[in-house]
Amino acid sequence: MINNDSERPAADVVRIGDCTVVLSSREVMVVGVRRPRRLTPKALGVLKALMRSPGTVVTRDELFAEVWPDTLPTNDVLTQAVTQLRKAFATDEDAGTTYIETIAKTGYRLLVPVSVVDEARGLADAEETGADVISDDGAPRPVTGVPAKRVASPMRRRWRRIRRYVLLAIGLTMMIALLVMAALLVQRERPATAVEAAVEDGTRVIGSPERPYRLITASAGFETYPTLSPDGSQVAYEAGMPSREGNVIKVQTSGNAPARVLMDTPDTYSDRFPNWSPNGRDIAFARFGPDGSCEVLIASATGGALRHVTRCDGTELLSFDWTPDGRGLLFGSLSGKYAHRGIRTFNLASGSWSALDYDMDPDSFEYAPRYSPDGRWIVFVRNPQVGDLWRIPAGGGVPEQLTNDSAEIRGWAWRSDSRHIVFGRRVDSEARLYELDTRTHTLRDLGLDDAQSPALSRSNNMLAFMHRRAQFGLFKVPIGADGPGVPERLFASGGRDAQPMIAPDGRQLVFSSNRSGSYSLWWADLQRPESLRPIEGLRPETRQIPDWSRDSHHLLVLGRDEHANPAVFEVSPRDDQIVRLAVPAAQPLQALYGQLPGQMLVVERDEDERMRLSLFDRTTTPWRLLGSIDGVSQARYDVAGERVLFTRLSASGLWSADAALTPQSIRQVRDDQPSRWRYRAWAVSGSGQIDYLSNRADCATAFARLSAATTDTGACLDAERLGTGNGFSASPDGSAVYVALAVADGSDIGIMNLPEPTSSFFPAFSNLMFMKGKDPS
């Protein structure tokens, strides 16, 4: 693989089609346009990759690996770079599409020839005399500091064109020969799959209106957590029933046969998290009672022979999987009455536990551990609040980090080859499926929108997943003495709105949304609804909410820089001013204003993958560290109480510390709420009230005011509509909350045959993840 950062081009000035490009200054000169157009470094990197092989398709994975090495960018960053290139090459008659062609779900191709311009003396002469220079098409244009050609004879210009086309023909011939050799090596021509045939926006398939997957459920409710039989012929999943409270486990063939209920579930109980055994005979699942009880059960896949495995009362984030031989279950960390920090197995025959011996930090919580099909490895998600995938040998040892993105991982599964992993990850306003090669640490987007919770059959390439296409709107909900009032819709649209943050002045509101077609941060003055507009030049992170300054003039926003790395930006929304801050943090995850104007609180993950809340004095260069608290997952500053409130990775609950983060001031406010999974679903009003959103069996979105003295589960804010869990805000006086509620929701189970990993043939063409200097072998 060519590293674009280390390779210098053989020439600085090149002719691409009718345009001249100066690589060192990133300038593009177009015939008839007086001023040069400046490219971003990433757009230039994409151009360099394309112009090395004009007429050849360069895949998206190749471009990601070369231009965005050691990062995990989204598809949008590449699309934006190509869009900028097209604008740079565009004329009044052409939008730049004749220069760069999009190959649907594959990559891009440069359609015009490339040649080196080596006439610096001619440029110098022209600059001295002020003479016009002539482009290849014979049109004169003024000298603008870019090398160009003087008027040449018609014979010379004709010879140059002939030479250019001869070289292009030779290059195309060599490319065709290489492709033929590659086809012979793989001994067969692999037809284009449905995923690969999808167009760039993922909404349709070329030549067919069909999706690359098929939905096997179509109810108005939620079907979640699919699991596949080993041969892929049947799917078990969790489903709600309109006639009863709680969920049941349903089993359905991958064809069109109707679903059947696996077991009769007692009233008010809920069966969840089905998991098919390796031999296909049994299904393990968890049963939750209305009193908080929990037990893991195993039933025959045909619906009989129910047997008890173990208790899990009070457990949050329960996760388990079968051992490869089917004789035991592998459990992640447990909390509550049966708490255990690390990964362990439960022997079904003896009823005994066996803890896995491996290195584990005190604050770590291991979630969703699964054996590889060959039994050699265990992969799990560490700290699902800001999760990454880790791997350890099946017998224990030193964990190896596979990803480093602090992402919201929405389920994962092994492929049958015990090498590749498919996992769901939240990107902007949706969840998508990615495939990770654990040997090379490379990644590819599977091209499935609104997909999560993947499951894979053990003997073939059948994939099942949860397809959820929710639409969330913004609401203002009054809070009175009797609890929440009627929600009032704000700024209706067909997009997905989230994270509404009201300013201390009670007038300004910012939120994240894809309502314009691209994901952005939006701002409005609530007293002037017509003021609603996006804040250009910033792509916010969905996992963390912005924070307003005390004077309501500025915002701290977590986003990505031009290299797709996490960064903190200070935004003045009224003036459209955006400044990147020099935060001395390895990976900032949240930023807050501190007690004093020059202070800032930052939740970060350091180079040892440990979470920390740090207080900085940013009036000095570099910033001066004033204090820190380890193991923090989220924080808020309480202006009225002059204290910092925070949640931890290691347990549910809420803690407080003084504004200086002194260790002696740390106190636990509550030990039960917020929960680990809803660690961002709380807010502090200007008057110091702590509001919390959760859900219950009888209420989709419940509201509670937290304090050390109360244990009330709260009132129902909205019985039918779920609220987002990634942040909301309270008005300065606590008389209202601003929340995002689902205006359309539901999920179904999709299935499809997953194509073979392309990286098994061409591993160098995959997109590199955030791994640096690690040997995956």
Side-chain angles (χ1 to χ4, degrees):
M1 184 187 302
I2 298 175
N3 188 327
N4 189 53
D5 294 333
S6 60
E7 178 188 296
R8 295 195 60 82
D12 188 44
V13 184
V14 293
R15 183 65 57 85
I16 301 178
D18 293 329
C19 300
T20 304
V21 180
V22 182
L23 301 179
S24 59
S25 61
R26 307 196 308 273
E27 290 182 323
V28 179
M29 288 304 306
V30 180
V31 176
V33 179
R34 293 186 59 85
R35 298 177 62 83
R37 295 166 175 172
R38 183 68 56 86
L39 299 174
T40 65
K42 293 303 181 184
L44 180 66
V46 172
L47 179 61
K48 287 181 178 180
L50 295 176
M51 74 183 197
R52 279 199 300 270
S53 304
T56 302
V57 177
V58 183
T59 68
R60 300 174 73 92
D61 289 336
E62 290 178 87
L63 292 170
F64 278 135
E66 178 172 331
V67 184
W68 287 271
D70 301 324
T71 63
L72 182 59
T74 63
N75 289 327
D76 290 332
V77 297
L78 176 56
T79 303
Q80 291 171 3
V82 172
T83 299
Q84 195 204 32
L85 287 175
R86 287 173 172 158
K87 289 180 179 179
F89 290 126
T91 64
D92 293 339
E93 295 79 20
D94 169 54
T97 54
T98 59
Y99 276 68
I100 300 175
E101 179 187 12
T102 298
I103 308 300
K105 283 299 179 183
T106 302
Y108 299 93
R109 175 168 56 188
L110 187 63
L111 299 177
V112 295
V114 178
S115 60
V116 174
V117 177
D118 188 16
E119 298 189 18
R121 178 186 299 178
L123 173 64
D125 293 343
E127 288 177 335
E128 288 178 3
T129 61
D132 286 345
V133 293
I134 305 298
S135 63
D136 278 348
D137 60 0
R141 58 184 175 87
V143 175
T144 59
V146 178
K149 303 177 184 178
R150 284 185 174 276
V151 179
S153 66
M155 181 64 70
R156 185 176 181 182
R157 292 202 304 271
R158 188 177 302 112
W159 165 244
R160 288 176 180 168
R161 294 192 184 98
I162 292 173
R163 181 179 63 182
R164 185 184 307 158
Y165 293 133
V166 167
L167 292 174
L168 179 60
I170 293 173
L172 291 174
T173 301
M174 294 179 64
M175 179 193 70
I176 293 172
L178 290 173
L179 291 176
V180 171
M181 293 176 64
L184 291 174
L185 286 174
V186 299
Q187 297 182 345
R188 64 186 178 93
E189 180 182 357
R190 185 170 63 88
T193 66
V195 171
E196 295 165 335
V199 298
E200 187 172 351
D201 63 4
T203 58
R204 62 184 179 89
V205 177
I206 292 178
S208 169
E210 297 180 357
R211 295 168 295 207
Y213 57 87
R214 181 166 53 88
L215 297 178
I216 63 171
T217 62
S219 71
F222 289 85
E223 284 81 28
T224 58
Y225 298 105
T227 179
L228 279 163
S229 60
D231 61 2
S233 64
Q234 298 184 79
V235 184
Y237 54 89
E238 176 184 331
M241 297 283 285
S243 59
R244 65 180 306 277
E245 292 184 11
N247 294 340
V248 299
I249 305 298
K250 289 186 175 182
V251 180
Q252 186 171 345
T253 65
S254 54
N256 295 321
R260 61 180 174 85
V261 177
L262 177 66
M263 296 290 298
D264 289 333
T265 306
D267 290 339
T268 70
Y269 280 74
S270 189
D271 289 348
R272 307 194 62 193
F273 311 133
N275 207 309
W276 217 298
S277 66
N279 61 13
R281 299 174 184 172
D282 299 304
I283 296 175
F285 62 95
R287 175 166 290 175
F288 295 86
D291 56 353
S293 63
C294 168
E295 61 178 329
V296 177
L297 305 171
I298 293 178
S300 168
T302 59
L306 183 68
R307 65 184 190 270
H308 170 84
V309 175
T310 185
R311 298 297 297 268
C312 46
D313 293 1
T315 297
E316 185 190 4
L317 294 175
L318 174 66
S319 60
F320 54 89
D321 187 35
W322 291 85
T323 58
D325 59 9
R327 298 177 180 176
L329 294 178
L330 182 70
F331 282 79
S333 298
L334 295 179
S335 60
K337 184 177 179 180
Y338 299 95
H340 187 271
R341 244 178 8 98
I343 299 172
R344 55 181 177 164
T345 57
F346 183 85
N347 187 291
L348 296 175
S350 65
S352 59
W353 291 92
S354 176
L356 191 68
D357 184 14
Y358 69 103
D359 296 339
M360 181 181 176
D361 294 331
D363 290 332
S364 293
F365 188 93
E366 321 291 46
Y367 182 68
R370 294 189 175 95
Y371 280 101
S372 58
D374 62 9
R376 294 181 55 201
W377 301 99
I378 295 175
V379 167
F380 58 94
V381 180
R382 173 163 285 178
N383 298 325
Q385 304 98 318
V386 283
D388 280 300
L389 290 166
W390 292 70
R391 179 174 70 172
I392 51 177
V398 179
E400 171 195 5
Q401 190 172 0
L402 298 177
T403 66
N404 185 14
D405 192 38
S406 301
E408 290 184 44
I409 295 181
R410 304 289 185 88
W412 72 274
W414 282 101
R415 266 191 184 263
S416 58
D417 61 4
S418 295
R419 169 175 172 174
H420 294 87
I421 285 172
V422 175
F423 68 95
R425 174 184 180 270
R426 180 166 180 145
V427 179
D428 296 338
S429 59
E430 66 169 336
R432 300 181 65 83
L433 294 186
Y434 292 84
E435 185 172 63
L436 170 68
D437 187 331
T438 60
R439 190 174 302 170
T440 62
H441 291 168
T442 56
L443 184 79
R444 70 174 178 132
D445 188 335
L446 293 181
L448 299 178
D449 301 331
D450 297 303
Q452 56 187 296
S453 301
L456 286 158
S457 58
R458 291 175 178 263
S459 59
N460 53 33
N461 290 320
M462 183 63 70
L463 167 71
F465 61 93
M466 185 179 89
H467 180 267
R468 184 187 181 191
R469 196 171 182 83
Q471 178 191 345
F472 287 88
L474 300 182
F475 291 83
K476 177 183 178 181
V477 185
I479 305 297
D482 298 330
V486 178
E488 172 194 352
R489 182 77 183 270
L490 303 173
F491 308 121
S493 80
R496 296 176 179 178
D497 301 336
Q499 299 175 309
M501 300 304 297
I502 190 69
D505 62 14
R507 290 184 51 173
Q508 298 179 81
L509 185 76
V510 294
F511 60 94
S512 57
S513 178
N514 67 344
R515 57 174 51 212
S516 64
S518 62
Y519 190 74
S520 304
L521 188 70
W522 288 70
W523 171 89
D525 186 332
L526 295 179
Q527 296 182 5
R528 297 186 302 110
E530 70 279 3
S531 64
L532 178 66
R533 58 178 171 78
I535 298 176
E536 302 291 347
L538 175 66
R539 189 180 189 88
E541 280 282 0
T542 56
R543 57 189 169 190
Q544 300 294 349
I545 57 176
D547 187 55
W548 282 99
S549 62
R550 308 288 184 270
D551 59 7
S552 301
H553 290 166
H554 305 287
L555 281 166
L556 293 177
V557 183
L558 190 74
R560 295 273 177 175
D561 62 14
E562 65 274 14
H563 303 292
N565 295 319
V568 178
F569 300 88
E570 189 164 41
V571 180
S572 302
R574 289 188 181 274
D575 304 325
D576 284 332
Q577 297 295 318
I578 302 173
V579 178
R580 179 177 177 175
L581 301 180
V583 179
Q587 190 174 354
L589 299 178
Q590 187 191 8
L592 304 164
Y593 289 103
Q595 182 182 36
L596 302 177
Q599 292 181 351
M600 184 177 295
L601 293 156
V602 178
V603 177
E604 62 170 314
R605 195 167 75 166
D606 64 19
E607 295 179 353
D608 295 325
E609 312 305 326
R610 294 179 179 176
M611 298 285 290
R612 178 182 296 113
L613 172 64
S614 299
L615 176 66
F616 291 102
D617 176 3
R618 62 171 179 157
T619 62
T620 63
T621 303
W623 293 12
R624 184 164 59 96
L625 180 65
L626 302 177
S628 64
I629 300 175
D630 291 336
V632 174
S633 58
Q634 189 83 174
R636 307 279 191 275
Y637 185 74
D638 177 9
V639 177
E642 295 185 343
R643 59 177 180 168
V644 179
L645 296 166
F646 60 92
T647 56
R648 291 185 179 275
L649 290 172
S650 57
S652 298
L654 188 67
W655 284 260
S656 70
D658 63 18
L661 302 187
T662 56
Q664 298 80 6
S665 69
I666 297 176
R667 301 286 186 273
Q668 186 167 22
V669 179
R670 291 183 66 102
D671 62 0
D672 56 344
Q673 295 173 320
S675 69
R676 271 196 186 94
W677 197 244
R678 300 187 67 84
Y679 72 106
R680 295 172 299 178
W682 57 285
V684 182
S685 69
S687 56
Q689 295 164 323
I690 306 170
D691 297 333
Y692 176 56
L693 298 182
S694 61
N695 54 54
R696 307 190 302 253
D698 61 337
C699 180
T701 302
F703 171 86
R705 287 223 150 123
L706 305 183
S707 70
T710 61
T711 58
D712 187 11
T713 58
C716 189
L717 186 145
D718 197 298
E720 304 295 333
R721 294 179 291 202
L722 286 169
T724 59
N726 60 346
F728 71 103
S729 61
S731 63
D733 60 1
S735 63
V737 292
Y738 293 82
V739 301
L741 299 174
V743 295
D745 207 353
S747 62
D748 291 298
I749 303 300
I751 62 168
M752 62 178 287
N753 286 311
L754 190 64
E756 292 287 347
T758 56
S759 58
S760 61
F761 297 114
F762 307 107
F765 288 177
S766 296
N767 177 32
L768 292 178
M769 297 193 69
F770 270 110
M771 306 311 300
K772 301 180 180 179
K774 293 190 177 182
D775 182 5
S777 61

